[in-house]
Amino acid sequence: MSGERLIYLPLGGAGEIGMNAYVYGYGRPGKERLMLVDLGVAFPDMDTSPGVDVIVPDVSWLVDNLDRLDGIIITHAHEDHIGALPHLWPLLKKPVYARRFTAAIGRLKFEEAGLPLDAIITVEPRPAAVEIGPFKVQFLPLSHSIPESAGLVIDTPAGRILHTGDFKRDPTPIVGEGWDDAVMEAVAAEAPVKAMMCDSTNVFSPLPGRSEATLAEPLTELIAKAGGMVVATTFASNVARLKTLAEAARAADRSICVLGRAMKRMVAVAEETGVLTGFPRHVTPEEALEIPRRNLMLLVTGSQGERRAASAALSRGKYLGFEMKPGDTFLFSSKTIPGNERSVLRIMNALSETGVDIVDDAGGKYHVSGHANRPDLEHAHRVFLPDMLIPMHGEHRHLREHVRIAHEAGIAGMVATNGMMIDLTGEVPKLAEHVETGRVYLDGTALVGALDGVVRDRIRMALNGVAMVSVILDEQNEPLGEAWVELLGLPATGLGERPLNETMETELTEFLDAASGKILSDDDRLDEALKRIVRQVAMEEVGKKPEVRVVISRLSAE
Amino acid sequence: MSGERLIYLPLGGAGEIGMNAYVYGYGRPGKERLMLVDLGVAFPDMDTSPGVDVIVPDVSWLVDNLDRLDGIIITHAHEDHIGALPHLWPLLKKPVYARRFTAAIGRLKFEEAGLPLDAIITVEPRPAAVEIGPFKVQFLPLSHSIPESAGLVIDTPAGRILHTGDFKRDPTPIVGEGWDDAVMEAVAAEAPVKAMMCDSTNVFSPLPGRSEATLAEPLTELIAKAGGMVVATTFASNVARLKTLAEAARAADRSICVLGRAMKRMVAVAEETGVLTGFPRHVTPEEALEIPRRNLMLLVTGSQGERRAASAALSRGKYLGFEMKPGDTFLFSSKTIPGNERSVLRIMNALSETGVDIVDDAGGKYHVSGHANRPDLEHAHRVFLPDMLIPMHGEHRHLREHVRIAHEAGIAGMVATNGMMIDLTGEVPKLAEHVETGRVYLDGTALVGALDGVVRDRIRMALNGVAMVSVILDEQNEPLGEAWVELLGLPATGLGERPLNETMETELTEFLDAASGKILSDDDRLDEALKRIVRQVAMEEVGKKPEVRVVISRLSAE
């Protein structure tokens, strides 16, 4: 095996929370056989990526080495792990391996995108194994906030790797297999773990995580006490939470109605695949409207304030016939992901105006995280006893802190961010090479590079407004008619209350009338001069520097 | 006094945190003499107000009733209380009353804006009083996170009002007068408090607030242990915190250098006005660069992630010759205001990449709030014993919760949001009338109504991109040359990799060649038809619906 090496290369998810995409390879340098783990999206925001639909990792390195790629694994069905699959699979076209629930979600996505369903292969959990090139992979059930999250036990000619995926240490997760030290210790006992790629999301949470099961009592109590209608929102994919909420509702003699496409789909797939059993019967919205409010609980999407989801719709007024009323209770059984605060608060305040009682997770009573906290990470390190630890699924500060913890425990750790190809063959991780990566925007149906300037132009327009100038010249470079200015996103009037575009048109026309043939005949110089005038007027009149575009039309006598 | 009434009218700050502006009036209905308390700004964000400089309250009601307005009080120098003064004072031109420090900050603003400095009148704290129309007002020193915050004891012919302004219950605030129950009880003992207008910011914080003084020990310990350079950021106006930080630095044998215009100004004004004494000598940036890192602490602006402030600049690289290095410590002695999370995390991650140790307020050790928490509010209610409580300085959910607490204590409370004129004359607050209010954007140098459409257009451009179409027709309505399309913020190529604007131009030209004279001669119909084509091509090619503007130029043979 001399001359062969084991490599790890994050293309997304390492140095950010979102768009997970991790490559493993084994073979001679530059000839390694490759396997991709996860292909997720990140979400856009107005500050940095307005108008973008989703953000996907740049997989051009994989496309360039497509003959070496043997397969794709999806660890679980959260969007940041599976969301980019339908968008990027057509560039890769390799078999996709996932557990039953994840595969079912994947197939729904493939169906919508018109992709072949048989590209997705259902795998059974460990001890079953699937061979992908030089890798033998077992899917290790781990608890998280979605059914059937899987860690990966990856056996390679250079040793065993444990890729945790997203996980928490939850002995009683309500849905799916709980954490059992004996089960985990067996992984390390079978073969020493050479490297552990580990979830870092909650590395800054100092207390041990709490089990999903601890929520049943407070939620049951809360819902029992509530008057009026109860509406509860959480992450659509948190099927265990939905079950707990539904059972609490049933205990309070309330019927359950699920609103929101994503949530209905998750419940349906979870029931179909057998991961969710005993979920109370839920009624249709039409049936629910006939039930007294006191006997009804809605389970709805939109815990992050998404404008089009059910929570936001209900806060704005009627939604599918439902309307919030004073005395109703609205429960956020969720945490707000950083960046979504404003949207969530907007909903809360709108509900407050209606007289609805809002219950959120301020006290930590009605939500638990799906990720391992610092003491749980330390416990996992002790159980799997890896030689090396490479943190993933975190911003830079999370990865750095996670490495610090590993070092304290005597484990060789390394911060490996997107694009860093790490050689795991030796005793300690070593940087092998830097690979070009980045973010690609799915914008409508087009894929646009994050640095292409399209989104930069949008941000500039949003900050500065736009002025469009049209001038027409004849064959002798004489202006025909007057300059025309259209404004978008600029104050309508400047000083003296005169329309801003008229002030610009006056100045432009004066300039054109006085300009030399040398300038008028030169598109570039003319364009520059007209832009300068528009910017100057805008600055003087309204104190802004708009984006300016000039259309110079030259007419010839045909 | 029959037929006269006492009114309260929030124009900003009630139903939001920001742009505080509260009106009090006394007299016959519609003839009340008026007084304005505070005139602050709110801050824009990319989601709702891209490109806007600051948001100010709509004071047109005051402008319409200018002959009835007798004066303006500023309770303290935070931007959400004083920030709109230089922008709106020219519309009001009434005397401004404030305590020494606040007045000094106000005069600096007036100087920059070219406004008369003598419009700002310095008032001494209670028992001194100032008469403003029918109101006799005493400035009651209360602790907050800026020097000389004042509550207002307002004596009116209908009884005493206590307007808290922003406050906390801090017996040892480091700078300024601490909370003393005896002092506060005297206010109610002198004359019963008819109505209390009360800060609601922290009504959801269940534990009693901690004193500014409790930070000295943990900060001193932290800074003593730090290696390398220490950089600490907090709110520029938190002079007490700056003093604690500076003293902790001095105890650790570190020189202090203050970076950032706002912070330097606050320290200078606090020293000049005598509210800050014993602040350790601080060195200039030039001097600081000569001092060993181990003996230096920078106090810097930008705790909220502001792009242009010192914290962000340091995270990006060199700033005034300073550069962060591995082993340095960066302390956020501040909390992140909701909505600023992404900007703050960007700085933290950039620092993490440099190897800087980041200390934030996660554990609550290095920051205390400047607002009264729920138990402190309840305590203040008990001390001042008002007949009525009207919460202010809060979003709707804060106001509602604060009223709930008042009701529990047997106090008549009412949620009064912006534009609700409340009659306080009777036993309980009564809604008298609704006044038109809203938000006005300062956009460059122009004031733009929030609903004018200017900002809405910017948001649409940021989401959808822009297409500008130019066509020229002759007197016979014949197209001259081809249609021209300029795109901004749209993917450059659509399906088949053809430039998107070319595809549009082809379709437009084809349409023009085939169009009837009836359409070509009608600007509105032609505009509509051309827009439809551009949108359709954009949807087919890239899946987006851009904003479209069409310039139709009609040439006449002159």
Side-chain angles (χ1 to χ4, degrees):
Chain A
M1 277 193 303
S2 85
E4 309 205 302
R5 65 179 186 179
L6 174 63
I7 57 166
Y8 163 77
L9 166 63
L11 294 176
E16 69 202 331
I17 293 183
M19 61 170 222
N20 294 278
Y22 307 95
V23 177
Y24 291 93
Y26 184 80
R28 292 173 172 281
K31 308 277 181 201
E32 296 92 349
R33 299 304 303 176
L34 306 172
M35 162 176 101
L36 172 64
V37 176
D38 289 338
L39 199 50
V41 297
F43 294 100
D45 58 61
M46 277 298 280
D47 295 84
T48 61
S49 43
V52 168
D53 292 278
V54 290
I55 304 170
V56 302
D58 180 353
V59 293
S60 16
W61 186 84
L62 276 181
V63 172
D64 292 343
N65 293 284
L66 208 52
D67 55 328
R68 294 161 52 196
L69 180 65
D70 293 311
I72 303 167
I73 290 174
I74 304 293
T75 59
H76 64 285
H78 275 151
E79 286 297 303
D80 58 333
H81 293 260
I82 198 175
L85 188 64
H87 305 299
L88 299 180
W89 187 86
L91 301 175
L92 305 173
K93 295 197 173 129
K94 301 294 174 183
V96 178
Y97 303 89
R99 292 182 71 190
R100 188 174 307 269
F101 176 82
T102 310
I105 295 287
R107 283 192 202 103
L108 285 176
K109 288 178 181 286
F110 268 39
E111 202 170 357
E112 285 174 355
L115 299 174
L117 303 192
D118 60 0
I120 301 181
I121 297 150
T122 301
V123 295
E124 296 300 318
R126 177 178 143 92
V130 57
E131 304 217 356
I132 302 175
F135 302 109
K136 200 179 122 197
V137 184
Q138 298 176 324
F139 284 62
L140 174 69
L142 288 176
S143 44
H144 182 42
S145 48
I146 191 170
E148 297 199 335
S149 194
L152 304 175
V153 179
I154 308 172
D155 284 313
T156 83
R160 176 165 275 195
I161 287 171
L162 180 75
H163 178 104
T164 67
D166 292 5
F167 80 106
K168 70 182 290 192
R169 183 185 162 205
D170 190 341
T172 51
I174 304 290
V175 165
E177 302 90 338
W179 175 283
D180 180 342
D181 276 351
V183 169
M184 304 306 160
E185 280 159 4
V187 171
E190 249 173 40
V193 174
K194 181 171 183 60
M196 178 170 174
M197 313 298 161
C198 189
D199 182 0
S200 310
T201 316
N202 281 4
V203 69
F204 289 112
S205 302
L207 303 176
R210 288 170 303 137
S211 169
E212 187 67 32
T214 61
L215 297 177
E217 198 182 305
L219 284 173
T220 306
E221 230 171 76
L222 173 77
I223 293 167
K225 278 196 307 195
M229 186 166 69
V230 175
V231 181
T233 183
T234 187
F235 301 94
S237 54
N238 196 333
V239 170
R241 185 71 47 80
L242 295 176
K243 187 175 178 187
T244 304
L245 286 164
E247 286 175 348
R250 198 173 50 177
D253 203 20
R254 289 177 184 268
S255 295
I256 299 123
C257 178
V258 178
L259 296 185
R261 185 168 167 270
M263 198 176 275
K264 281 196 285 197
R265 177 155 142 162
M266 283 291 170
V267 171
V269 172
E271 287 188 319
E272 280 160 30
T273 53
V275 303
L276 175 64
T277 54
F279 190 73
R281 196 184 80 82
H282 33 115
V283 301
T284 66
E286 296 72 31
E287 290 167 335
L289 286 168
E290 303 299 316
I291 296 171
R293 302 175 82 75
R294 179 65 197 78
N295 298 107
L296 186 60
M297 179 164 87
L298 308 181
L299 287 170
V300 306
T301 50
S303 67
Q304 298 305 305
E306 300 91 330
R307 252 187 64 74
R308 290 177 193 167
S311 294
L314 281 168
S315 79
R316 287 192 297 262
K318 271 204 177 172
Y319 177 65
L320 295 179
F322 296 99
E323 196 171 9
M324 302 303 297
K325 294 205 171 146
D328 288 348
T329 298
F330 201 107
L331 165 66
F332 286 82
S333 182
S334 54
K335 73 152 196 170
T336 303
I337 292 169
N340 296 337
E341 289 81 1
R342 285 194 294 249
S343 309
V344 172
L345 291 177
R346 207 170 297 137
I347 292 177
M348 288 186 176
N349 282 306
L351 293 170
S352 174
E353 285 173 33
T354 310
V356 171
D357 292 321
I358 300 147
V359 181
D360 67 10
D361 183 44
K365 262 171 95 173
Y366 303 117
H367 176 68
V368 295
S369 169
H371 296 273
N373 289 357
R374 181 187 304 224
D376 308 311
L377 291 170
E378 289 168 338
H379 182 87
H381 300 167
R382 284 192 298 272
V383 165
F384 291 112
L385 284 170
D387 296 334
M388 314 174 200
L389 184 124
I390 317 269
M392 60 180 184
H393 208 280
E395 298 168 7
H396 194 281
R397 63 197 178 101
H398 297 95
L399 306 184
R400 185 158 175 263
E401 180 71 4
H402 203 164
V403 163
R404 207 185 56 69
I405 291 174
H407 285 170
E408 276 180 8
I411 303 166
M414 180 172 180
V415 173
T417 53
N418 297 341
M420 287 171 68
M421 183 191 288
I422 309 297
D423 184 341
L424 304 170
T425 324
E427 299 286 303
V428 293
K430 270 198 305 223
L431 179 65
E433 176 180 338
H434 271 286
V435 163
E436 280 293 317
T437 56
R439 316 188 123 205
V440 174
Y441 296 146
L442 181 72
D443 189 43
T445 53
L447 289 171
V448 174
L451 305 174
D452 280 4
V454 170
V455 168
R456 182 202 59 208
D457 282 348
R458 281 191 212 148
I459 293 172
R460 285 187 184 161
M461 292 192 289
L463 294 175
N464 308 321
V466 175
M468 293 158 270
V469 179
S470 168
V471 300
I472 307 171
L473 303 174
D474 69 10
E475 285 175 305
Q476 283 76 46
N477 299 318
E478 287 295 320
L480 290 171
E482 304 202 328
W484 184 273
V485 178
E486 285 273 325
L487 301 179
L488 256 171
L490 281 165
T493 54
L495 305 172
E497 298 298 303
R498 193 179 170 208
L500 181 59
N501 63 330
E502 287 183 16
T503 309
M504 289 173 176
E505 284 164 359
T506 307
E507 295 276 329
L508 290 170
T509 300
E510 273 175 27
F511 169 82
L512 288 170
D513 289 346
S516 69
K518 215 163 152 183
I519 289 180
L520 292 172
S521 62
D522 182 335
D523 275 5
D524 289 345
R525 287 183 66 183
L526 183 55
D527 182 280
E528 197 34 61
L530 298 175
K531 276 185 178 152
R532 198 168 49 235
I533 291 166
V534 168
R535 285 204 199 99
Q536 198 177 320
V537 173
M539 190 39 97
E540 282 165 9
E541 292 282 315
V542 297
K544 310 257 325 168
K545 281 186 214 155
E547 297 300 295
V548 187
R549 285 295 182 279
V550 176
V551 177
I552 300 167
S553 306
R554 296 185 179 275
L555 291 186
S556 56
E558 284 164 272
Chain B
M1 280 192 302
S2 86
E4 308 204 306
R5 64 179 186 179
L6 174 62
I7 56 166
Y8 162 76
L9 166 63
L11 294 176
E16 68 201 333
I17 294 184
M19 59 172 224
N20 294 278
Y22 308 95
V23 177
Y24 290 93
Y26 184 80
R28 290 173 172 283
K31 309 274 181 203
E32 298 91 350
R33 299 303 305 174
L34 306 172
M35 161 175 102
L36 172 64
V37 177
D38 288 338
L39 199 48
V41 297
F43 294 99
D45 58 61
M46 277 298 279
D47 296 85
T48 60
S49 42
V52 168
D53 292 278
V54 291
I55 304 170
V56 302
D58 180 353
V59 293
S60 16
W61 186 85
L62 277 181
V63 171
D64 292 345
N65 294 284
L66 208 53
D67 56 327
R68 293 161 54 197
L69 180 64
D70 293 310
I72 303 167
I73 289 175
I74 304 293
T75 59
H76 64 285
H78 275 151
E79 284 299 301
D80 58 333
H81 294 260
I82 198 174
L85 188 63
H87 305 300
L88 299 179
W89 188 86
L91 301 176
L92 305 174
K93 294 197 173 129
K94 301 294 175 182
V96 177
Y97 303 90
R99 292 182 70 192
R100 188 174 307 271
F101 176 82
T102 311
I105 295 287
R107 284 191 201 103
L108 285 176
K109 289 177 180 290
F110 268 39
E111 200 170 359
E112 284 172 356
L115 299 174
L117 303 193
D118 59 1
I120 301 181
I121 297 149
T122 300
V123 295
E124 295 302 317
R126 177 178 144 90
V130 57
E131 304 217 357
I132 302 175
F135 302 109
K136 197 180 123 197
V137 183
Q138 297 175 324
F139 284 61
L140 175 68
L142 288 176
S143 43
H144 183 40
S145 48
I146 190 170
E148 298 197 335
S149 196
L152 304 175
V153 179
I154 308 173
D155 285 314
T156 84
R160 176 164 275 194
I161 288 171
L162 180 76
H163 178 104
T164 67
D166 292 4
F167 80 106
K168 69 182 291 192
R169 182 185 163 206
D170 190 340
T172 50
I174 304 290
V175 165
E177 301 90 340
W179 176 283
D180 179 342
D181 275 350
V183 170
M184 305 304 160
E185 279 159 4
V187 171
E190 248 173 42
V193 174
K194 182 172 182 59
M196 178 170 174
M197 314 300 162
C198 190
D199 181 359
S200 309
T201 316
N202 281 4
V203 69
F204 289 112
S205 301
L207 303 176
R210 289 170 301 137
S211 169
E212 186 68 32
T214 62
L215 296 177
E217 198 181 306
L219 284 173
T220 306
E221 229 171 78
L222 174 77
I223 292 167
K225 275 196 308 195
M229 186 165 71
V230 175
V231 182
T233 184
T234 187
F235 301 94
S237 55
N238 195 332
V239 170
R241 185 72 45 80
L242 295 176
K243 187 176 178 188
T244 304
L245 286 165
E247 285 174 349
R250 199 173 49 178
D253 203 20
R254 288 178 185 268
S255 295
I256 299 123
C257 178
V258 178
L259 295 185
R261 183 165 168 272
M263 196 176 275
K264 280 195 286 196
R265 179 155 141 162
M266 284 291 170
V267 170
V269 173
E271 288 189 319
E272 279 160 32
T273 52
V275 303
L276 175 63
T277 53
F279 190 72
R281 196 184 81 81
H282 33 115
V283 300
T284 65
E286 295 71 33
E287 289 166 335
L289 285 168
E290 301 300 316
I291 295 170
R293 302 174 83 75
R294 181 64 199 79
N295 296 108
L296 185 62
M297 179 164 87
L298 309 181
L299 287 170
V300 305
T301 51
S303 67
Q304 298 306 304
E306 301 91 330
R307 254 188 63 75
R308 290 178 193 167
S311 293
L314 281 168
S315 79
R316 286 192 298 260
K318 272 205 177 173
Y319 177 64
L320 296 180
F322 296 99
E323 196 170 9
M324 303 301 298
K325 295 206 170 146
D328 288 348
T329 297
F330 202 108
L331 166 65
F332 286 83
S333 181
S334 54
K335 73 152 195 168
T336 303
I337 293 170
N340 297 337
E341 290 79 1
R342 284 194 294 248
S343 309
V344 172
L345 291 177
R346 206 170 298 138
I347 291 177
M348 288 185 176
N349 282 307
L351 292 171
S352 175
E353 285 173 32
T354 311
V356 171
D357 291 322
I358 299 147
V359 180
D360 67 10
D361 184 44
K365 263 172 93 173
Y366 305 117
H367 176 67
V368 296
S369 169
H371 295 274
N373 289 356
R374 180 187 304 222
D376 308 312
L377 291 170
E378 289 169 336
H379 181 87
H381 301 167
R382 283 192 298 272
V383 166
F384 292 112
L385 284 170
D387 295 334
M388 315 174 199
L389 183 123
I390 316 269
M392 59 180 185
H393 208 281
E395 299 168 5
H396 194 281
R397 63 197 178 101
H398 297 95
L399 307 184
R400 186 158 174 263
E401 179 72 4
H402 202 164
V403 163
R404 208 186 55 71
I405 290 175
H407 285 170
E408 276 180 8
I411 303 167
M414 179 174 182
V415 172
T417 52
N418 297 341
M420 287 171 69
M421 184 191 286
I422 308 298
D423 185 341
L424 305 169
T425 325
E427 300 285 305
V428 293
K430 269 197 304 220
L431 179 64
E433 127 178 32
H434 270 284
V435 163
E436 280 293 317
T437 57
R439 315 187 124 206
V440 174
Y441 296 146
L442 179 71
D443 190 42
T445 52
L447 288 172
V448 175
L451 305 174
D452 282 3
V454 171
V455 167
R456 181 203 60 209
D457 281 348
R458 280 191 212 149
I459 293 172
R460 285 187 183 161
M461 291 192 289
L463 294 175
N464 308 320
V466 175
M468 292 158 270
V469 179
S470 169
V471 300
I472 307 171
L473 303 174
D474 68 13
E475 286 175 305
Q476 284 74 45
N477 299 318
E478 287 296 319
L480 289 171
E482 306 202 326
W484 183 273
V485 178
E486 284 272 325
L487 301 179
L488 256 170
L490 281 165
T493 54
L495 305 170
E497 299 296 304
R498 194 180 170 206
L500 180 59
N501 63 331
E502 287 183 15
T503 309
M504 289 173 176
E505 285 164 359
T506 305
E507 295 276 328
L508 290 169
T509 300
E510 272 175 26
F511 169 82
L512 289 170
D513 288 346
S516 70
K518 214 164 153 184
I519 289 180
L520 292 173
S521 62
D522 182 335
D523 275 4
D524 289 345
R525 288 183 65 183
L526 184 56
D527 181 281
E528 197 35 61
L530 297 175
K531 276 185 179 152
R532 198 168 49 234
I533 291 165
V534 168
R535 285 204 198 99
Q536 198 176 319
V537 173
M539 190 39 96
E540 283 166 8
E541 293 282 315
V542 297
K544 311 254 331 167
K545 281 186 214 155
E547 297 300 295
V548 187
R549 285 295 183 278
V550 176
V551 178
I552 300 167
S553 307
R554 294 186 180 276
L555 291 186
S556 54
E558 286 163 271

